[in-house]
Amino acid sequence: MTSANTTSSKKPAIDSRTVETRVRRYLARHVDDVSLLDEWGLITGGLLDSLAAVALIAELERQFDIQIDDSDLDLENFDSIPAIVEFVTRKYDG
C-alpha cells in the first residue's frame, strides 16, 4: 500500500496589493520623483531607461519567483504599476 503525497508544490496565494507595494518600494529606490510613478509611463515617460527596465524584470523574477519569457517582454506589461501588478499576478498564478 502506498501513501498519498499530502504536500502541495503550489505557491502560496499572492494578492495584488502585496505585488503593488513591493513594486512601488522597488521603483521608489530607482526614480528621482516618486510622485511621477502614477502620472507617467515608466518606460515611455522616461522614468526607467533600458537598463533599469531590465533590472526591474530581474527583480520581479526574484521577488515573486516567476519566469519572465521573451514572449512576455511587451511594453504594455511594464509601462505602469497597474500593468506590472496585473502581469505579475497573472504569471504568479500561471
Side-chain angles (χ1 to χ4, degrees):
M1 186 167 158
T2 60
S3 63
N5 184 358
T6 58
T7 60
S8 174
S9 62
K10 187 174 179 177
K11 295 186 254 184
I14 192 165
D15 64 276
S16 59
R17 185 177 305 270
T18 299
V19 175
E20 181 176 352
T21 299
R22 290 183 185 180
V23 168
R24 283 184 182 281
R25 189 176 303 138
Y26 176 79
L27 290 173
R29 296 188 320 243
H30 299 280
V31 299
D32 294 328
D33 187 350
V34 294
S35 69
L36 299 176
L37 290 175
D38 294 316
E39 297 176 25
W40 292 14
L42 298 175
I43 299 166
T44 58
L47 294 176
L48 300 177
D49 62 18
S50 59
L51 291 176
V54 169
L56 170 64
I57 290 167
E59 180 67 11
L60 294 173
E61 288 182 319
R62 187 187 71 72
Q63 277 275 330
F64 301 106
D65 192 26
I66 59 175
Q67 177 66 43
I68 298 175
D69 303 313
D70 289 347
S71 61
D72 297 321
L73 298 178
D74 187 335
L75 181 62
E76 291 180 8
N77 289 330
F78 303 101
D79 202 33
S80 70
I81 292 174
I84 294 170
V85 170
E86 192 278 326
F87 171 76
V88 168
T89 303
R90 185 177 70 242
K91 288 294 282 190
Y92 187 87
D93 291 339

